[in-house]
Amino acid sequence: MAEYTSILVEREEKVGIITLNRPKELNALNFQLVNELADALEEFDRDEAIGCIILTGSGEKAFAAGADIKEMADKSPIDMLLGGFESWGRIRKIHTPVIAAVNGYALGGGCELAMHCDIILASENARFGQPEILIGVIPGAGGTQRLARTLGKYRTMEIVLTGSPINAKELESLGLVNHVVPQSELMNEARKLANKIAGQAPIAVRMAKEAVLSAFETSLEEGLDIERKNFFLLFATEDMREGMRAFIEKRQAHFQGK
Ligand code: CO8
């Protein structure tokens, strides 16, 4: 594992855990942190032994309270362009499923980062929001798009135009948060879910993630094509033979990632 200064990286068997680690700044996302995060996610993505990644924040107050306003305050458009924004694109392209364990504030870039993940678990005290409008800007890492595609136009407009926070329970009822749990249970629940995913046939998991994400980026026709091709492709894997044989023989399947 590479050396990181703004994140903590651990592995527990098939699960990789990344913790945003600037607790005094409520894990505000400076460029260094986002670059490190992209590096660490890619490192886990290359590791065939890792079947799922959990992303969380250190401390009890925040997942991430947004991009680092102190770092951004004096920047020019060119500084922002050259400052490492491509790391967000790298995070978006991770093939391994990523679970966000949102343990407090997920605001601005923090909310956008949670939405880059594939499943969002939240503690009861978690607060989400896109407060950029309050400091004279707008979301810049996908907030307007991912919220609109999940919640629809009207709720998204209110969130983006008022900057008001939303609690985890409300987002659970709107379908953006998968489950809300007590803070003391959050990492246990994330581990349980991560281990369940990491125990599935790895190539099927990858194909499934790709197919679901294509629903955000293609027409229904193209998305159905991607799903069907991935489905057919899985008939070339040993894990597909093993999974179906195990069902017929009434035993547990042993997947090898081949
Ligand atoms: N950036 C920098 N520092 C921050 C941030 C932040 N986003 N959030 C909190 N901090 C710092 C505070 O300045 C404070 O530091 P200090 O002790 O040195 O004064 C420390 O963290 C603790 O914060 P508070 O004292 O404010 O804690 P409170 O409990 O009173 O309030 C809040 C917590 C409500 C979360 C409050 O801190 C807050 O409103 N933070 C800012 C939230 C925000 O506006 N986020 C959006 C930022 S813009 C953005 O995310 C654009 C994304 C674009 C794409 C990404 C590009 C990289």
Side-chain angles (χ1 to χ4, degrees), residues 182-201:
Q183 190 163 40
S184 57
E185 292 297 310
L186 181 65
M187 285 309 287
N188 279 345
E189 291 302 318
R191 281 186 174 91
K192 266 194 242 164
L193 192 55
N195 276 300
K196 194 164 190 180
I197 293 167
Q200 317 287 4

Side-chain angles (χ1 to χ4, degrees), residues 24-26 28 61 65-70 85 108-109 112 131-132 141:
K24 276 198 220 119
E25 295 84 7
L26 304 186
K61 243 178 121 176
D68 190 324
I69 299 170
K70 291 168 192 164
F85 233 81
E112 292 171 306
E132 289 90 342

Side-chain angles (χ1 to χ4, degrees), residues 10 31 56 63 70 96 147 168 186 205 212 228 230 239 246:
E10 306 156 78
F31 284 115
T56 192
F63 175 73
K70 291 168 192 164
T96 311
L147 279 177
L186 181 65
V205 166
V212 174
R228 203 173 316 111
N230 285 4
D239 282 347

Side-chain angles (χ1 to χ4, degrees), residues 119-140:
I119 292 179
I120 304 179
L121 300 185
S123 57
E124 285 162 345
N125 63 316
R127 294 281 175 282
F128 295 75
Q130 299 289 161
E132 289 90 342
I133 200 85
L134 305 175
I135 53 171
V137 287
I138 67 168

Side-chain angles (χ1 to χ4, degrees), residues 99-111:
I99 298 173
V102 177
N103 53 309
Y105 290 113
L107 300 176
C111 185

